[in-house]
Short mmCIF file of all heavy atoms in Angstrom, two decimals:
data_model
loop_
_atom_site.label_atom_id
_atom_site.label_comp_id
_atom_site.label_asym_id
_atom_site.label_seq_id
_atom_site.Cartn_x
_atom_site.Cartn_y
_atom_site.Cartn_z
N ASN A 151 -30.15 59.44 -31.74
CA ASN A 151 -30.46 60.27 -30.55
C ASN A 151 -29.23 60.40 -29.68
O ASN A 151 -28.18 59.82 -29.95
CB ASN A 151 -31.64 59.65 -29.77
CG ASN A 151 -31.37 58.19 -29.42
OD1 ASN A 151 -30.35 57.86 -28.83
ND2 ASN A 151 -32.29 57.32 -29.82
N LEU A 152 -29.40 61.19 -28.59
CA LEU A 152 -28.23 61.49 -27.71
C LEU A 152 -27.73 60.23 -27.07
O LEU A 152 -26.53 60.06 -26.89
CB LEU A 152 -28.65 62.51 -26.68
CG LEU A 152 -27.56 63.03 -25.76
CD1 LEU A 152 -27.82 64.48 -25.39
CD2 LEU A 152 -27.45 62.20 -24.48
N GLU A 153 -28.61 59.31 -26.68
CA GLU A 153 -28.19 58.07 -26.01
C GLU A 153 -27.23 57.28 -26.91
O GLU A 153 -26.13 56.87 -26.47
CB GLU A 153 -29.37 57.22 -25.62
CG GLU A 153 -28.98 55.89 -25.00
CD GLU A 153 -30.17 55.16 -24.40
OE1 GLU A 153 -30.67 55.64 -23.35
OE2 GLU A 153 -30.61 54.13 -24.96
N GLU A 154 -27.63 57.07 -28.17
CA GLU A 154 -26.77 56.30 -29.06
C GLU A 154 -25.47 57.02 -29.35
O GLU A 154 -24.41 56.39 -29.41
CB GLU A 154 -27.54 56.03 -30.35
CG GLU A 154 -28.73 55.08 -30.19
CD GLU A 154 -29.46 54.84 -31.48
OE1 GLU A 154 -29.10 55.44 -32.51
OE2 GLU A 154 -30.43 54.04 -31.45
N GLN A 155 -25.52 58.33 -29.45
CA GLN A 155 -24.30 59.08 -29.71
C GLN A 155 -23.34 59.04 -28.54
O GLN A 155 -22.13 58.82 -28.70
CB GLN A 155 -24.67 60.56 -29.97
CG GLN A 155 -23.49 61.54 -30.08
CD GLN A 155 -22.77 61.44 -31.40
OE1 GLN A 155 -22.87 60.41 -32.08
NE2 GLN A 155 -21.99 62.46 -31.70
N ALA A 156 -23.87 59.15 -27.30
CA ALA A 156 -23.02 59.12 -26.11
C ALA A 156 -22.36 57.75 -25.95
O ALA A 156 -21.16 57.66 -25.62
CB ALA A 156 -23.82 59.47 -24.87
N ILE A 157 -23.15 56.67 -26.16
CA ILE A 157 -22.58 55.34 -26.03
C ILE A 157 -21.50 55.12 -27.11
O ILE A 157 -20.48 54.47 -26.88
CB ILE A 157 -23.69 54.26 -26.10
CG1 ILE A 157 -24.56 54.37 -24.83
CG2 ILE A 157 -23.09 52.88 -26.20
CD1 ILE A 157 -25.81 53.51 -24.85
N ASN A 158 -21.73 55.64 -28.30
CA ASN A 158 -20.72 55.57 -29.33
C ASN A 158 -19.38 56.17 -28.89
O ASN A 158 -18.32 55.74 -29.28
CB ASN A 158 -21.17 56.30 -30.62
CG ASN A 158 -22.00 55.44 -31.54
OD1 ASN A 158 -22.34 54.30 -31.18
ND2 ASN A 158 -22.32 55.97 -32.69
N LEU A 159 -19.47 57.24 -28.07
CA LEU A 159 -18.29 57.98 -27.68
C LEU A 159 -17.61 57.38 -26.45
O LEU A 159 -16.36 57.32 -26.42
CB LEU A 159 -18.68 59.45 -27.38
CG LEU A 159 -19.12 60.29 -28.59
CD1 LEU A 159 -19.68 61.60 -28.12
CD2 LEU A 159 -17.96 60.52 -29.55
N VAL A 160 -18.36 56.96 -25.46
CA VAL A 160 -17.74 56.59 -24.18
C VAL A 160 -18.19 55.23 -23.62
O VAL A 160 -17.77 54.84 -22.54
CB VAL A 160 -17.91 57.66 -23.10
CG1 VAL A 160 -17.19 58.91 -23.47
CG2 VAL A 160 -19.45 57.93 -22.85
N GLY A 161 -19.06 54.51 -24.32
CA GLY A 161 -19.50 53.23 -23.81
C GLY A 161 -20.70 53.32 -22.85
O GLY A 161 -21.18 54.39 -22.56
N THR A 162 -21.11 52.17 -22.32
CA THR A 162 -22.33 52.11 -21.54
C THR A 162 -22.19 52.55 -20.08
O THR A 162 -23.08 53.21 -19.54
CB THR A 162 -22.91 50.67 -21.59
OG1 THR A 162 -21.87 49.75 -21.23
CG2 THR A 162 -23.41 50.35 -22.98
N ASP A 163 -21.10 52.13 -19.41
CA ASP A 163 -21.01 52.42 -17.98
C ASP A 163 -20.96 53.94 -17.70
O ASP A 163 -21.65 54.45 -16.83
CB ASP A 163 -19.75 51.77 -17.40
CG ASP A 163 -19.92 50.28 -17.21
OD1 ASP A 163 -21.05 49.81 -17.35
OD2 ASP A 163 -18.90 49.60 -16.90
N ILE A 164 -20.10 54.65 -18.42
CA ILE A 164 -20.00 56.10 -18.24
C ILE A 164 -21.28 56.75 -18.59
O ILE A 164 -21.78 57.65 -17.90
CB ILE A 164 -18.82 56.66 -19.07
CG1 ILE A 164 -17.48 56.14 -18.56
CG2 ILE A 164 -18.82 58.19 -19.02
CD1 ILE A 164 -16.30 56.53 -19.41
N TYR A 165 -21.90 56.29 -19.68
CA TYR A 165 -23.19 56.87 -20.08
C TYR A 165 -24.26 56.67 -18.97
O TYR A 165 -24.89 57.62 -18.58
CB TYR A 165 -23.68 56.28 -21.40
CG TYR A 165 -25.11 56.63 -21.70
CD1 TYR A 165 -25.47 57.91 -22.05
CD2 TYR A 165 -26.15 55.66 -21.54
CE1 TYR A 165 -26.79 58.25 -22.29
CE2 TYR A 165 -27.47 55.99 -21.80
CZ TYR A 165 -27.78 57.30 -22.16
OH TYR A 165 -29.10 57.64 -22.37
N GLU A 166 -24.39 55.43 -18.51
CA GLU A 166 -25.45 55.15 -17.55
C GLU A 166 -25.23 55.86 -16.20
O GLU A 166 -26.21 56.32 -15.59
CB GLU A 166 -25.53 53.62 -17.31
CG GLU A 166 -26.08 52.84 -18.47
CD GLU A 166 -27.57 53.06 -18.72
OE1 GLU A 166 -28.24 53.57 -17.77
OE2 GLU A 166 -28.04 52.77 -19.82
N LYS A 167 -24.01 55.96 -15.76
CA LYS A 167 -23.74 56.52 -14.41
C LYS A 167 -23.51 58.00 -14.42
O LYS A 167 -23.88 58.70 -13.45
CB LYS A 167 -22.50 55.82 -13.79
CG LYS A 167 -22.80 54.36 -13.39
CD LYS A 167 -21.68 53.80 -12.55
CE LYS A 167 -22.03 52.40 -12.03
NZ LYS A 167 -21.00 51.89 -11.10
N LEU A 168 -22.91 58.56 -15.45
CA LEU A 168 -22.46 59.95 -15.40
C LEU A 168 -23.11 60.87 -16.42
O LEU A 168 -22.94 62.08 -16.30
CB LEU A 168 -20.94 59.99 -15.55
CG LEU A 168 -20.14 59.19 -14.57
CD1 LEU A 168 -18.65 59.33 -14.80
CD2 LEU A 168 -20.48 59.59 -13.12
N ILE A 169 -23.85 60.33 -17.36
CA ILE A 169 -24.43 61.19 -18.40
C ILE A 169 -25.97 61.12 -18.40
O ILE A 169 -26.63 62.16 -18.39
CB ILE A 169 -23.91 60.80 -19.80
CG1 ILE A 169 -22.39 61.04 -19.88
CG2 ILE A 169 -24.64 61.59 -20.92
CD1 ILE A 169 -21.76 60.51 -21.15
N LYS A 170 -26.51 59.91 -18.40
CA LYS A 170 -27.94 59.73 -18.67
C LYS A 170 -28.83 60.51 -17.71
O LYS A 170 -29.65 61.38 -18.12
CB LYS A 170 -28.30 58.26 -18.60
CG LYS A 170 -29.77 57.92 -18.96
CD LYS A 170 -30.01 56.41 -18.91
CE LYS A 170 -31.36 56.05 -19.47
NZ LYS A 170 -32.48 56.54 -18.62
N GLY A 171 -28.74 60.25 -16.39
CA GLY A 171 -29.64 60.87 -15.43
C GLY A 171 -29.48 62.40 -15.36
O GLY A 171 -30.44 63.14 -15.33
N TYR A 172 -28.20 62.83 -15.39
CA TYR A 172 -27.95 64.27 -15.35
C TYR A 172 -28.50 65.00 -16.57
O TYR A 172 -29.19 66.03 -16.45
CB TYR A 172 -26.44 64.50 -15.25
CG TYR A 172 -26.04 65.94 -15.04
CD1 TYR A 172 -25.88 66.42 -13.72
CD2 TYR A 172 -25.82 66.81 -16.06
CE1 TYR A 172 -25.53 67.73 -13.48
CE2 TYR A 172 -25.46 68.12 -15.85
CZ TYR A 172 -25.32 68.60 -14.56
OH TYR A 172 -24.96 69.90 -14.35
N THR A 173 -28.32 64.42 -17.75
CA THR A 173 -28.78 65.03 -18.97
C THR A 173 -30.29 65.09 -19.06
O THR A 173 -30.87 66.09 -19.47
CB THR A 173 -28.21 64.28 -20.18
OG1 THR A 173 -26.78 64.26 -20.11
CG2 THR A 173 -28.63 64.92 -21.52
N GLU A 174 -30.94 64.00 -18.59
CA GLU A 174 -32.39 63.97 -18.65
C GLU A 174 -33.00 64.97 -17.66
O GLU A 174 -34.04 65.58 -17.95
CB GLU A 174 -32.91 62.56 -18.39
CG GLU A 174 -32.55 61.62 -19.54
CD GLU A 174 -33.06 60.19 -19.37
OE1 GLU A 174 -33.50 59.86 -18.24
OE2 GLU A 174 -33.05 59.41 -20.36
#
Side-chain angles (χ1 to χ4, degrees):
N151 52 55
L152 186 147
E153 177 170 289
E154 293 179 358
Q155 172 77 339
I157 292 173
N158 273 7
L159 293 170
V160 294
T162 52
D163 285 350
I164 294 174
Y165 169 71
E166 290 290 342
K167 290 191 173 185
L168 302 182
I169 297 173
K170 185 178 188 293
Y172 187 91
T173 303
E174 291 182 347

